[in-house]
Short mmCIF file of all heavy atoms in Angstrom, two decimals:
data_model
loop_
_atom_site.label_atom_id
_atom_site.label_comp_id
_atom_site.label_asym_id
_atom_site.label_seq_id
_atom_site.Cartn_x
_atom_site.Cartn_y
_atom_site.Cartn_z
N VAL B 407 -7.02 14.55 -5.23
CA VAL B 407 -7.02 15.63 -4.25
C VAL B 407 -5.63 16.22 -4.07
O VAL B 407 -4.64 15.50 -3.97
CB VAL B 407 -7.59 15.14 -2.90
CG1 VAL B 407 -6.83 13.94 -2.40
CG2 VAL B 407 -7.58 16.24 -1.86
N ASP B 408 -5.57 17.55 -4.09
CA ASP B 408 -4.33 18.26 -3.83
C ASP B 408 -4.14 18.36 -2.32
O ASP B 408 -5.11 18.53 -1.58
CB ASP B 408 -4.41 19.66 -4.45
CG ASP B 408 -3.11 20.42 -4.26
OD1 ASP B 408 -2.05 19.76 -4.20
OD2 ASP B 408 -3.16 21.66 -4.17
N LEU B 409 -2.90 18.25 -1.86
CA LEU B 409 -2.67 18.30 -0.42
C LEU B 409 -2.74 19.71 0.13
O LEU B 409 -3.20 19.94 1.24
CB LEU B 409 -1.31 17.68 -0.07
CG LEU B 409 -1.29 16.18 0.20
CD1 LEU B 409 -0.05 15.82 0.96
CD2 LEU B 409 -2.53 15.72 0.94
N GLY B 410 -2.25 20.69 -0.63
CA GLY B 410 -2.17 22.05 -0.12
C GLY B 410 -3.47 22.80 -0.33
O GLY B 410 -3.61 23.59 -1.26
N LEU B 411 -4.45 22.55 0.55
CA LEU B 411 -5.74 23.20 0.40
C LEU B 411 -5.92 24.27 1.47
O LEU B 411 -5.39 24.16 2.57
CB LEU B 411 -6.86 22.17 0.56
CG LEU B 411 -6.97 21.10 -0.53
CD1 LEU B 411 -8.03 20.09 -0.15
CD2 LEU B 411 -7.29 21.74 -1.87
N PRO B 412 -6.69 25.30 1.15
CA PRO B 412 -7.09 26.25 2.20
C PRO B 412 -8.16 25.60 3.06
O PRO B 412 -8.89 24.73 2.61
CB PRO B 412 -7.68 27.42 1.40
CG PRO B 412 -8.18 26.79 0.14
CD PRO B 412 -7.27 25.62 -0.14
N GLY B 413 -8.22 26.01 4.32
CA GLY B 413 -9.21 25.40 5.22
C GLY B 413 -8.78 24.00 5.61
O GLY B 413 -7.65 23.78 6.02
N ILE B 414 -9.69 23.06 5.46
CA ILE B 414 -9.37 21.68 5.81
C ILE B 414 -8.16 21.19 5.01
O ILE B 414 -8.08 21.39 3.80
CB ILE B 414 -10.56 20.75 5.49
CG1 ILE B 414 -11.82 21.22 6.21
CG2 ILE B 414 -10.24 19.33 5.91
CD1 ILE B 414 -12.99 20.30 5.98
N ASP B 415 -7.24 20.56 5.68
CA ASP B 415 -6.05 20.04 5.02
C ASP B 415 -6.41 18.83 4.15
O ASP B 415 -7.38 18.13 4.39
CB ASP B 415 -5.04 19.61 6.10
CG ASP B 415 -3.76 19.11 5.47
OD1 ASP B 415 -3.03 19.93 4.89
OD2 ASP B 415 -3.53 17.90 5.54
N GLY B 416 -5.58 18.61 3.12
CA GLY B 416 -5.83 17.49 2.22
C GLY B 416 -5.90 16.16 2.94
O GLY B 416 -6.74 15.31 2.64
N VAL B 417 -5.00 15.97 3.89
CA VAL B 417 -4.98 14.70 4.63
C VAL B 417 -6.29 14.52 5.40
O VAL B 417 -6.82 13.41 5.51
CB VAL B 417 -3.77 14.65 5.59
CG1 VAL B 417 -3.83 13.39 6.44
CG2 VAL B 417 -2.47 14.67 4.79
N GLU B 418 -6.82 15.65 5.90
CA GLU B 418 -8.10 15.57 6.61
C GLU B 418 -9.23 15.17 5.66
O GLU B 418 -10.16 14.46 6.04
CB GLU B 418 -8.42 16.90 7.29
CG GLU B 418 -7.57 17.17 8.52
CD GLU B 418 -7.57 16.00 9.49
OE1 GLU B 418 -8.65 15.46 9.77
OE2 GLU B 418 -6.48 15.60 9.94
N VAL B 419 -9.15 15.69 4.45
CA VAL B 419 -10.15 15.30 3.45
C VAL B 419 -10.11 13.79 3.23
O VAL B 419 -11.14 13.11 3.19
CB VAL B 419 -9.91 16.04 2.12
CG1 VAL B 419 -10.85 15.53 1.04
CG2 VAL B 419 -10.08 17.54 2.31
N ILE B 420 -8.89 13.26 3.13
CA ILE B 420 -8.74 11.81 2.93
C ILE B 420 -9.38 11.07 4.11
O ILE B 420 -10.16 10.13 3.93
CB ILE B 420 -7.26 11.43 2.80
CG1 ILE B 420 -6.65 12.10 1.57
CG2 ILE B 420 -7.09 9.92 2.74
CD1 ILE B 420 -5.15 11.99 1.49
N ARG B 421 -9.06 11.50 5.33
CA ARG B 421 -9.62 10.83 6.50
C ARG B 421 -11.15 10.91 6.49
O ARG B 421 -11.84 9.94 6.79
CB ARG B 421 -9.10 11.47 7.79
CG ARG B 421 -7.65 11.20 8.04
CD ARG B 421 -7.31 11.07 9.53
NE ARG B 421 -5.87 10.84 9.65
CZ ARG B 421 -4.96 11.80 9.65
NH1 ARG B 421 -5.34 13.07 9.58
NH2 ARG B 421 -3.67 11.52 9.73
N GLY B 422 -11.63 12.10 6.14
CA GLY B 422 -13.08 12.28 6.10
C GLY B 422 -13.74 11.33 5.11
O GLY B 422 -14.76 10.70 5.41
N LEU B 423 -13.14 11.20 3.95
CA LEU B 423 -13.70 10.28 2.95
C LEU B 423 -13.65 8.85 3.45
O LEU B 423 -14.60 8.08 3.30
CB LEU B 423 -12.92 10.41 1.63
CG LEU B 423 -13.12 11.70 0.85
CD1 LEU B 423 -12.12 11.80 -0.28
CD2 LEU B 423 -14.54 11.74 0.29
N ARG B 424 -12.54 8.51 4.05
CA ARG B 424 -12.33 7.11 4.46
C ARG B 424 -13.25 6.66 5.60
O ARG B 424 -13.35 5.47 5.86
CB ARG B 424 -10.87 6.89 4.86
CG ARG B 424 -9.96 6.67 3.69
CD ARG B 424 -10.21 5.32 3.03
NE ARG B 424 -9.42 5.17 1.80
CZ ARG B 424 -9.90 5.42 0.59
NH1 ARG B 424 -11.15 5.79 0.42
NH2 ARG B 424 -9.14 5.27 -0.48
N THR B 425 -13.91 7.64 6.25
CA THR B 425 -14.84 7.19 7.29
C THR B 425 -16.05 6.51 6.68
O THR B 425 -16.75 5.79 7.37
CB THR B 425 -15.33 8.38 8.15
OG1 THR B 425 -15.99 9.32 7.30
CG2 THR B 425 -14.17 9.05 8.85
N TRP B 426 -16.31 6.74 5.41
CA TRP B 426 -17.53 6.13 4.88
C TRP B 426 -17.38 5.54 3.48
O TRP B 426 -18.31 4.91 2.99
CB TRP B 426 -18.66 7.15 4.87
CG TRP B 426 -18.42 8.34 3.98
CD1 TRP B 426 -17.77 9.48 4.32
CD2 TRP B 426 -18.81 8.49 2.62
NE1 TRP B 426 -17.72 10.34 3.26
CE2 TRP B 426 -18.36 9.75 2.20
CE3 TRP B 426 -19.50 7.68 1.71
CZ2 TRP B 426 -18.57 10.22 0.90
CZ3 TRP B 426 -19.72 8.16 0.43
CH2 TRP B 426 -19.25 9.42 0.03
N THR B 427 -16.25 5.74 2.81
CA THR B 427 -16.15 5.20 1.45
C THR B 427 -14.77 4.64 1.16
O THR B 427 -13.77 5.07 1.74
CB THR B 427 -16.47 6.28 0.40
OG1 THR B 427 -16.25 5.75 -0.90
CG2 THR B 427 -15.60 7.51 0.60
N ALA B 428 -14.73 3.67 0.27
CA ALA B 428 -13.47 3.06 -0.13
C ALA B 428 -13.04 3.55 -1.51
O ALA B 428 -12.20 2.94 -2.15
CB ALA B 428 -13.59 1.54 -0.12
N VAL B 429 -13.63 4.65 -1.97
CA VAL B 429 -13.32 5.18 -3.30
C VAL B 429 -11.80 5.39 -3.45
O VAL B 429 -11.14 5.83 -2.50
CB VAL B 429 -14.07 6.50 -3.53
CG1 VAL B 429 -13.65 7.55 -2.53
CG2 VAL B 429 -13.86 7.02 -4.94
N PRO B 430 -11.25 5.05 -4.63
CA PRO B 430 -9.81 5.28 -4.83
C PRO B 430 -9.47 6.76 -4.73
O PRO B 430 -10.16 7.60 -5.30
CB PRO B 430 -9.57 4.77 -6.26
CG PRO B 430 -10.70 3.86 -6.55
CD PRO B 430 -11.87 4.36 -5.76
N ILE B 431 -8.42 7.08 -3.99
CA ILE B 431 -7.99 8.47 -3.81
C ILE B 431 -6.57 8.63 -4.33
O ILE B 431 -5.67 7.91 -3.90
CB ILE B 431 -8.04 8.88 -2.32
CG1 ILE B 431 -9.46 8.73 -1.76
CG2 ILE B 431 -7.53 10.32 -2.15
CD1 ILE B 431 -9.55 9.04 -0.28
N ILE B 432 -6.39 9.56 -5.26
CA ILE B 432 -5.05 9.87 -5.78
C ILE B 432 -4.66 11.24 -5.26
O ILE B 432 -5.40 12.21 -5.43
CB ILE B 432 -5.03 9.86 -7.32
CG1 ILE B 432 -5.48 8.48 -7.84
CG2 ILE B 432 -3.66 10.23 -7.84
CD1 ILE B 432 -5.60 8.42 -9.34
#
Side-chain angles (χ1 to χ4, degrees):
Chain B
V407 55
D408 183 29
L409 271 199
L411 293 174
I414 304 182
D415 182 69
V417 175
E418 286 310 314
V419 174
I420 298 170
R421 290 214 181 84
L423 289 170
R424 278 290 174 263
T425 59
W426 63 274
T427 175
V429 62
I431 301 177
I432 302 175

